[in-house]
Amino acid sequence: MSKRIFSAPPPVAPDAAPPKAAAKPAPAAAGKPDTRPMVHAATRIDTPDGPRAVETLQAGDRICCSGSDVMSLRAVERVVLARADWAYAPALWPIRVPVGTLGNHTPMRVSPGMRVLLPGEDGAFVRVADLVGIGGIARDRPMADIRYFELHLPEHALVQAEGALIESFPEGPRAVRPETPRDEARAAFATATGRPVR
């Protein structure tokens, strides 16, 4: 499992050799933490052997996706946001999804950049941050460092997590389906769940 910590880099001594250039990320991976689709630690991901906490997964493990598909993880990347980074940046805080709101059978926390498939036959593909303020979905102020995890699969897919369908990290040029704009997403959520938009 790889790890990325978002914090200020340490100072470099004058006589130190210049650091090696990091590999250039794929276009989809170039976003800031608040735009990346990630789940918070302790989120359970469905596998053929039963649900597992995301932090226990590693490359090669098989996870359950939509349509009864099973795919092997290419990588699981851990992203840590220190308190100094998120204390005055609520845009980075996890978004808490109450039980049943998105088909999840337990409370769930995801990054603001996560997109999910709404319940229903014609479920819209929406960004969770666009649903804040409806059905109890809200930004959840952390008590310590934020620990997010990215799930990398051979291609972009919908993953079963806590009973909901969330997206894997976007790999390649094609998404599982187009993202629904914010106003349409909120209206679709109200229709799918019977919760009014205020």
Side-chain angles (χ1 to χ4, degrees):
M1 179 184 298
S2 58
K3 174 181 179 181
R4 178 174 301 161
I5 299 179
F6 284 85
S7 58
V12 179
D15 56 347
K20 295 181 179 179
K24 185 178 180 180
K32 298 183 296 182
D34 58 319
T35 66
R36 302 164 74 99
M38 302 179 284
V39 296
H40 197 272
T43 301
R44 294 181 300 177
I45 307 298
D46 286 2
T47 76
D49 300 316
R52 288 178 53 184
V54 65
E55 57 266 37
T56 70
L57 296 173
Q58 58 186 347
D61 286 342
R62 300 167 71 225
I63 62 175
C64 298
C65 302
S66 62
S68 301
D69 288 342
V70 175
M71 300 178 69
S72 295
L73 286 162
R74 292 180 56 192
V76 179
E77 182 170 342
R78 182 160 63 115
V79 178
V80 180
L81 300 177
R83 181 186 293 269
D85 297 320
W86 60 253
Y88 299 102
L92 300 177
W93 297 359
I95 293 180
R96 187 177 189 277
V97 181
V99 175
T101 307
L102 296 175
N104 49 308
H105 44 67
T106 62
M108 182 171 65
R109 289 193 293 173
V110 298
S111 69
M114 176 60 75
R115 293 177 294 186
V116 300
L117 190 69
L118 292 183
E121 293 184 4
D122 300 318
F125 187 47
V126 305
R127 191 172 300 272
V128 176
D130 288 343
L131 304 179
V132 168
I134 316 175
I137 297 176
R139 297 188 184 275
D140 191 20
R141 192 179 195 282
M143 301 301 292
D145 291 352
I146 300 174
R147 293 186 297 145
Y148 283 136
F149 292 82
E150 290 175 345
L151 300 173
H152 293 253
L153 293 168
E155 61 186 34
H156 194 208
L158 292 170
V159 176
Q160 296 182 25
E162 303 287 10
L165 285 173
I166 66 171
E167 68 173 323
S168 66
F169 192 79
E171 304 280 2
R174 298 184 62 184
V176 288
R177 61 178 62 194
E179 179 182 332
T180 303
R182 182 180 185 276
D183 289 345
E184 294 179 28
R186 293 173 72 86
F189 176 81
T191 299
T193 63
R195 298 171 187 264
V197 177
R198 296 177 180 177

Coordinates of all heavy atoms in Angstrom, one line a residue, residues 88-156:
Y88 N -8.5 24.7 9.1 CA -9.2 25.9 8.6 C -9.6 25.7 7.1 O -9.7 26.7 6.4 CB -8.3 27.1 8.7 CG -8.0 27.4 10.2 CD1 -6.7 27.1 10.7 CD2 -8.9 28.0 11.0 CE1 -6.4 27.3 12.0 CE2 -8.6 28.2 12.4 CZ -7.3 27.9 12.8 OH -7.0 28.1 14.2
A89 N -9.8 24.4 6.7 CA -10.1 24.1 5.3 C -11.2 23.1 5.3 O -11.0 21.9 5.0 CB -8.9 23.6 4.6
P90 N -12.5 23.5 5.7 CA -13.6 22.6 5.7 C -13.9 21.9 4.4 O -14.5 20.8 4.3 CB -14.8 23.5 6.1 CG -14.4 24.9 5.9 CD -12.9 24.9 6.0
A91 N -13.3 22.4 3.3 CA -13.5 21.8 2.0 C -12.8 20.4 1.9 O -13.1 19.6 1.1 CB -13.0 22.6 0.8
L92 N -11.9 20.2 2.9 CA -11.2 18.9 2.9 C -11.8 17.9 3.8 O -11.4 16.7 3.8 CB -9.7 19.1 3.4 CG -8.8 20.1 2.5 CD1 -7.5 20.2 3.1 CD2 -8.7 19.5 1.1
W93 N -12.7 18.4 4.7 CA -13.3 17.5 5.7 C -14.1 16.3 5.0 O -14.7 16.5 3.9 CB -14.3 18.2 6.6 CG -13.6 19.3 7.4 CD1 -12.2 19.6 7.4 CD2 -14.2 20.2 8.3 NE1 -12.0 20.7 8.3 CE2 -13.2 21.1 8.8 CE3 -15.5 20.4 8.7 CZ2 -13.5 22.1 9.7 CZ3 -15.8 21.4 9.6 CH2 -14.8 22.2 10.1
P94 N -14.1 15.2 5.7 CA -15.0 14.1 5.1 C -16.4 14.5 5.1 O -16.9 15.3 5.9 CB -14.7 12.9 6.1 CG -13.5 13.3 6.8 CD -13.4 14.8 6.9
I95 N -17.2 13.8 4.2 CA -18.6 14.0 4.2 C -19.3 12.8 4.8 O -19.0 11.6 4.4 CB -19.1 14.3 2.7 CG1 -18.5 15.6 2.3 CG2 -20.6 14.2 2.7 CD1 -18.9 16.0 0.9
R96 N -20.1 13.0 5.8 CA -20.8 11.9 6.5 C -22.1 11.6 5.8 O -22.9 12.5 5.6 CB -20.9 12.2 7.9 CG -21.5 11.0 8.8 CD -21.6 11.4 10.2 NE -21.8 10.3 11.1 CZ -23.1 9.8 11.3 NH1 -24.1 10.4 10.8 NH2 -23.2 8.8 12.1
V97 N -22.3 10.3 5.5 CA -23.6 9.9 4.9 C -24.3 9.0 5.9 O -23.8 7.9 6.2 CB -23.3 9.1 3.6 CG1 -24.6 8.6 2.9 CG2 -22.4 9.9 2.6
P98 N -25.4 9.4 6.4 CA -26.2 8.6 7.4 C -26.7 7.3 6.8 O -26.7 7.1 5.6 CB -27.4 9.5 7.8 CG -27.0 10.9 7.4 CD -26.1 10.7 6.1
V99 N -27.0 6.4 7.7 CA -27.5 5.1 7.3 C -28.7 5.2 6.4 O -29.6 6.0 6.6 CB -27.9 4.3 8.6 CG1 -28.6 3.0 8.2 CG2 -26.8 4.0 9.5
G100 N -28.6 4.4 5.3 CA -29.7 4.3 4.3 C -29.8 5.4 3.3 O -30.6 5.4 2.4
T101 N -29.1 6.5 3.5 CA -29.2 7.7 2.6 C -28.9 7.4 1.2 O -29.6 7.8 0.2 CB -28.4 8.9 3.1 OG1 -28.7 9.1 4.5 CG2 -28.7 10.1 2.3
L102 N -27.8 6.6 1.0 CA -27.4 6.2 -0.4 C -27.4 4.7 -0.6 O -26.7 4.2 -1.4 CB -26.0 6.8 -0.7 CG -25.8 8.3 -0.7 CD1 -24.4 8.7 -0.8 CD2 -26.7 8.9 -1.8
G103 N -28.3 4.1 0.2 CA -28.3 2.6 0.1 C -27.3 2.0 1.1 O -27.2 0.7 1.2
N104 N -26.6 2.8 1.8 CA -25.6 2.2 2.8 C -26.3 1.8 4.0 O -27.2 2.4 4.6 CB -24.5 3.3 3.1 CG -25.1 4.7 3.5 OD1 -26.0 5.2 2.8 ND2 -24.7 5.2 4.6
H105 N -25.8 0.6 4.6 CA -26.5 0.0 5.8 C -25.8 0.4 7.0 O -26.2 0.0 8.1 CB -26.5 -1.5 5.6 CG -25.3 -2.1 5.1 ND1 -24.1 -2.2 5.8 CD2 -25.0 -2.8 4.0 CE1 -23.2 -2.8 5.1 NE2 -23.7 -3.2 4.0
T106 N -24.7 1.2 7.0 CA -24.0 1.8 8.1 C -23.6 3.2 7.8 O -23.5 3.5 6.6 CB -22.8 1.0 8.6 OG1 -21.8 1.0 7.5 CG2 -23.1 -0.4 8.9
P107 N -23.3 4.1 8.7 CA -22.8 5.4 8.4 C -21.6 5.3 7.6 O -20.8 4.4 7.8 CB -22.6 6.1 9.8 CG -23.5 5.3 10.7 CD -23.5 3.9 10.2
M108 N -21.4 6.2 6.7 CA -20.2 6.2 5.8 C -19.6 7.5 5.7 O -20.3 8.5 5.7 CB -20.6 5.6 4.4 CG -19.5 5.4 3.4 SD -20.2 4.6 1.9 CE -21.4 5.7 1.3
R109 N -18.3 7.6 5.6 CA -17.6 8.9 5.4 C -16.7 8.7 4.1 O -15.9 7.8 4.0 CB -16.7 9.2 6.6 CG -17.6 9.7 7.8 CD -16.7 10.3 8.8 NE -15.8 9.4 9.5 CZ -14.8 9.8 10.3 NH1 -14.7 11.1 10.7 NH2 -14.1 8.9 10.9
V110 N -16.8 9.7 3.3 CA -16.0 9.7 2.0 C -15.5 11.1 1.8 O -15.9 12.1 2.5 CB -16.9 9.3 0.8 CG1 -17.5 7.9 1.0 CG2 -18.1 10.3 0.6
S111 N -14.6 11.2 0.8 CA -14.0 12.5 0.5 C -15.0 13.4 -0.3 O -15.9 12.8 -0.9 CB -12.7 12.4 -0.3 OG -13.0 11.9 -1.6
P112 N -14.8 14.7 -0.3 CA -15.8 15.6 -1.0 C -15.7 15.3 -2.5 O -16.7 15.6 -3.2 CB -15.2 17.0 -0.7 CG -14.5 16.9 0.6 CD -13.9 15.5 0.6
G113 N -14.7 14.7 -3.0 CA -14.6 14.4 -4.4 C -15.2 13.1 -4.9 O -15.2 12.8 -6.1
M114 N -15.7 12.3 -3.9 CA -16.3 11.0 -4.2 C -17.6 11.2 -5.0 O -18.4 12.0 -4.7 CB -16.5 10.2 -3.0 CG -17.2 8.9 -3.2 SD -16.3 7.8 -4.3 CE -14.9 7.2 -3.2
R115 N -17.8 10.3 -6.0 CA -19.1 10.2 -6.7 C -19.7 8.9 -6.4 O -19.0 7.9 -6.3 CB -18.8 10.5 -8.2 CG -18.4 11.9 -8.5 CD -18.1 12.1 -10.0 NE -17.0 11.3 -10.5 CZ -16.4 11.4 -11.7 NH1 -17.0 12.2 -12.6 NH2 -15.4 10.6 -12.0
V116 N -21.0 8.9 -6.4 CA -21.8 7.7 -6.0 C -22.9 7.5 -7.0 O -23.3 8.5 -7.7 CB -22.3 7.7 -4.6 CG1 -21.2 7.9 -3.6 CG2 -23.3 8.8 -4.4
L117 N -23.4 6.3 -7.1 CA -24.6 6.0 -7.9 C -25.8 6.0 -7.0 O -25.9 5.3 -6.0 CB -24.5 4.6 -8.6 CG -25.5 4.3 -9.6 CD1 -25.3 5.2 -10.9 CD2 -25.5 2.9 -10.0
L118 N -26.8 6.9 -7.3 CA -28.0 7.0 -6.5 C -28.8 5.7 -6.6 O -28.8 5.0 -7.7 CB -28.8 8.2 -6.9 CG -28.2 9.6 -6.6 CD1 -29.2 10.6 -7.0 CD2 -27.9 9.7 -5.1
P119 N -29.5 5.3 -5.6 CA -30.4 4.1 -5.7 C -31.4 4.3 -6.7 O -31.8 5.4 -7.1 CB -31.0 4.1 -4.3 CG -30.1 4.9 -3.4 CD -29.6 5.9 -4.2
G120 N -31.9 3.1 -7.3 CA -32.9 3.2 -8.3 C -32.4 2.6 -9.7 O -31.1 2.6 -9.9
E121 N -33.3 2.2 -10.5 CA -32.9 1.6 -11.8 C -32.1 2.6 -12.7 O -31.2 2.2 -13.4 CB -34.1 1.1 -12.6 CG -34.8 -0.1 -11.9 CD -36.0 -0.5 -12.7 OE1 -36.2 0.0 -13.8 OE2 -36.7 -1.5 -12.2
D122 N -32.5 3.9 -12.6 CA -31.9 4.9 -13.5 C -31.1 5.9 -12.6 O -31.1 7.1 -12.7 CB -32.9 5.7 -14.3 CG -33.6 4.7 -15.2 OD1 -33.0 3.9 -15.8 OD2 -34.9 4.9 -15.4
G123 N -30.3 5.3 -11.6 CA -29.6 6.1 -10.6 C -28.7 7.1 -11.3 O -27.9 6.7 -12.2
A124 N -28.7 8.3 -10.8 CA -27.8 9.3 -11.3 C -26.4 9.1 -10.7 O -26.3 8.6 -9.5 CB -28.3 10.7 -11.0
F125 N -25.3 9.5 -11.4 CA -24.0 9.4 -10.9 C -23.6 10.8 -10.4 O -23.4 11.8 -11.2 CB -23.1 9.0 -12.0 CG -21.6 8.7 -11.7 CD1 -21.3 7.9 -10.6 CD2 -20.6 9.2 -12.4 CE1 -20.0 7.6 -10.2 CE2 -19.3 9.0 -12.1 CZ -19.0 8.2 -11.0
V126 N -23.5 11.0 -9.1 CA -23.5 12.3 -8.5 C -22.3 12.5 -7.5 O -21.8 11.5 -7.0 CB -24.8 12.7 -7.7 CG1 -26.0 12.5 -8.6 CG2 -24.9 11.8 -6.4
R127 N -21.8 13.7 -7.4 CA -20.7 14.0 -6.5 C -21.4 14.2 -5.1 O -22.3 15.0 -4.9 CB -20.0 15.3 -6.9 CG -18.7 15.6 -6.1 CD -18.0 16.7 -6.8 NE -17.6 16.4 -8.2 CZ -16.5 15.8 -8.6 NH1 -15.6 15.4 -7.6 NH2 -16.3 15.6 -9.8
V128 N -20.9 13.5 -4.1 CA -21.4 13.5 -2.7 C -21.5 15.0 -2.2 O -22.4 15.4 -1.5 CB -20.7 12.6 -1.8 CG1 -21.3 12.7 -0.4 CG2 -20.8 11.2 -2.2
A129 N -20.4 15.8 -2.5 CA -20.4 17.1 -2.0 C -21.6 17.9 -2.5 O -22.0 18.9 -1.8 CB -19.1 17.8 -2.4
D130 N -22.2 17.6 -3.6 CA -23.3 18.3 -4.2 C -24.6 18.0 -3.4 O -25.6 18.7 -3.6 CB -23.5 17.9 -5.6 CG -22.5 18.5 -6.6 OD1 -21.8 19.5 -6.1 OD2 -22.3 18.1 -7.7
L131 N -24.5 17.0 -2.5 CA -25.7 16.6 -1.8 C -25.7 17.1 -0.3 O -26.6 16.8 0.4 CB -25.9 15.0 -1.8 CG -25.9 14.4 -3.2 CD1 -26.0 12.9 -3.0 CD2 -27.1 14.9 -4.0
V132 N -24.7 17.8 0.0 CA -24.5 18.3 1.4 C -25.8 19.1 1.8 O -26.2 20.0 1.0 CB -23.2 19.1 1.6 CG1 -23.3 19.8 2.9 CG2 -22.0 18.1 1.6
G133 N -26.4 18.9 2.9 CA -27.5 19.6 3.3 C -28.8 18.9 3.1 O -29.9 19.4 3.5
I134 N -28.8 17.8 2.4 CA -30.0 17.0 2.2 C -29.9 15.6 2.9 O -28.9 15.0 2.8 CB -30.2 16.7 0.7 CG1 -30.0 18.0 -0.2 CG2 -31.6 16.2 0.4 CD1 -30.0 17.7 -1.7
G135 N -31.0 15.2 3.5 CA -31.0 13.9 4.1 C -30.0 13.6 5.1 O -29.6 12.5 5.4
G136 N -29.5 14.7 5.8 CA -28.5 14.5 6.8 C -27.1 14.4 6.3 O -26.1 14.2 7.1
I137 N -26.8 14.5 5.0 CA -25.5 14.4 4.5 C -24.8 15.8 4.9 O -25.3 16.8 4.6 CB -25.5 14.3 3.0 CG1 -26.1 12.9 2.6 CG2 -24.1 14.4 2.4 CD1 -26.3 12.7 1.1
A138 N -23.6 15.7 5.5 CA -23.0 16.9 6.0 C -21.5 16.7 6.1 O -21.0 15.6 6.1 CB -23.5 17.2 7.4
R139 N -20.8 17.8 6.1 CA -19.3 17.8 6.3 C -19.1 17.4 7.8 O -19.8 17.9 8.7 CB -18.7 19.1 6.0 CG -18.8 19.4 4.5 CD -18.0 20.7 4.1 NE -18.3 21.0 2.7 CZ -17.7 20.5 1.7 NH1 -16.7 19.6 1.9 NH2 -17.9 20.9 0.4
D140 N -18.1 16.5 8.0 CA -17.9 16.0 9.3 C -16.5 16.4 9.8 O -15.5 16.0 9.4 CB -17.9 14.4 9.3 CG -17.9 13.8 10.6 OD1 -18.3 14.5 11.6 OD2 -17.6 12.6 10.7
R141 N -16.5 17.4 10.8 CA -15.2 17.9 11.3 C -14.4 16.8 12.0 O -14.9 16.2 12.9 CB -15.5 19.1 12.3 CG -14.2 19.9 12.6 CD -14.5 21.0 13.5 NE -13.4 22.0 13.6 CZ -12.2 21.8 14.2 NH1 -12.1 20.7 14.9 NH2 -11.3 22.7 14.2
P142 N -13.2 16.6 11.5 CA -12.4 15.5 12.1 C -11.9 15.8 13.5 O -12.0 17.0 14.0 CB -11.2 15.4 11.2 CG -11.6 16.2 9.9 CD -12.5 17.2 10.4
M143 N -11.5 14.8 14.2 CA -10.9 15.0 15.6 C -9.4 14.8 15.5 O -8.7 15.0 16.5 CB -11.6 14.0 16.5 CG -13.1 14.1 16.7 SD -13.6 15.8 17.2 CE -13.0 15.8 18.9
A144 N -8.9 14.3 14.4 CA -7.4 14.0 14.3 C -7.1 14.0 12.8 O -7.9 14.6 12.0 CB -7.1 12.6 14.9
D145 N -5.9 13.5 12.5 CA -5.5 13.4 11.1 C -6.6 12.7 10.3 O -7.2 11.7 10.7 CB -4.2 12.7 10.9 CG -3.0 13.5 11.5 OD1 -3.2 14.7 11.8 OD2 -1.9 12.9 11.5
I146 N -6.8 13.2 9.0 CA -7.8 12.6 8.1 C -7.0 11.5 7.4 O -6.0 11.7 6.8 CB -8.4 13.6 7.1 CG1 -9.1 14.7 7.9 CG2 -9.3 12.9 6.2 CD1 -9.6 15.8 7.0
R147 N -7.6 10.3 7.4 CA -7.0 9.2 6.7 C -7.9 8.7 5.5 O -8.9 8.1 5.8 CB -6.7 8.0 7.6 CG -5.6 8.3 8.6 CD -5.2 7.1 9.5 NE -6.4 6.7 10.2 CZ -6.6 5.4 10.5 NH1 -5.8 4.4 10.1 NH2 -7.7 5.1 11.2
Y148 N -7.6 9.1 4.3 CA -8.3 8.7 3.2 C -7.6 7.5 2.4 O -6.4 7.3 2.5 CB -8.5 9.8 2.2 CG -9.5 10.9 2.6 CD1 -9.1 12.3 2.5 CD2 -10.8 10.6 3.0 CE1 -10.0 13.3 2.8 CE2 -11.7 11.6 3.3 CZ -11.3 12.9 3.2 OH -12.2 13.9 3.5
F149 N -8.4 6.8 1.6 CA -7.9 5.7 0.8 C -8.5 5.7 -0.6 O -9.7 5.9 -0.7 CB -8.2 4.3 1.5 CG -7.5 4.1 2.8 CD1 -8.0 4.6 4.0 CD2 -6.3 3.4 2.8 CE1 -7.3 4.5 5.2 CE2 -5.6 3.2 4.0 CZ -6.1 3.7 5.2
E150 N -7.6 5.6 -1.6 CA -8.0 5.5 -3.0 C -7.9 4.1 -3.4 O -6.9 3.4 -3.1 CB -7.1 6.3 -3.8 CG -7.2 7.8 -3.7 CD -6.2 8.6 -4.5 OE1 -5.2 8.0 -5.0 OE2 -6.3 9.8 -4.6
L151 N -8.9 3.6 -4.1 CA -9.0 2.3 -4.7 C -8.7 2.3 -6.2 O -9.4 2.9 -6.9 CB -10.3 1.7 -4.4 CG -10.8 1.5 -3.0 CD1 -12.2 1.0 -2.9 CD2 -9.8 0.6 -2.2
H152 N -7.6 1.8 -6.6 CA -7.2 1.8 -8.0 C -7.4 0.4 -8.6 O -6.9 -0.6 -8.1 CB -5.7 2.1 -8.1 CG -5.3 3.5 -7.7 ND1 -5.0 4.5 -8.6 CD2 -5.3 4.1 -6.5 CE1 -4.8 5.6 -8.0 NE2 -4.9 5.4 -6.7
L153 N -8.2 0.4 -9.6 CA -8.6 -0.8 -10.4 C -8.1 -0.7 -11.8 O -7.7 0.4 -12.2 CB -10.1 -1.0 -10.4 CG -10.7 -1.3 -9.0 CD1 -12.3 -1.2 -9.1 CD2 -10.3 -2.7 -8.5
P154 N -8.1 -1.8 -12.6 CA -7.7 -1.7 -14.0 C -8.4 -0.7 -14.8 O -7.9 -0.2 -15.8 CB -7.9 -3.1 -14.5 CG -7.8 -4.0 -13.3 CD -8.4 -3.2 -12.2
E155 N -9.7 -0.4 -14.4 CA -10.5 0.6 -15.1 C -11.4 1.2 -14.1 O -11.7 0.7 -13.0 CB -11.3 0.0 -16.2 CG -12.2 -1.1 -15.8 CD -12.9 -1.8 -17.0 OE1 -12.2 -2.0 -18.0 OE2 -14.0 -2.2 -16.9
H156 N -12.0 2.4 -14.5 CA -12.9 3.0 -13.6 C -14.2 2.2 -13.4 O -14.7 1.6 -14.3 CB -13.4 4.4 -14.3 CG -14.1 5.3 -13.4 ND1 -15.0 6.2 -13.8 CD2 -14.0 5.5 -12.0 CE1 -15.4 6.9 -12.8 NE2 -14.8 6.5 -11.7

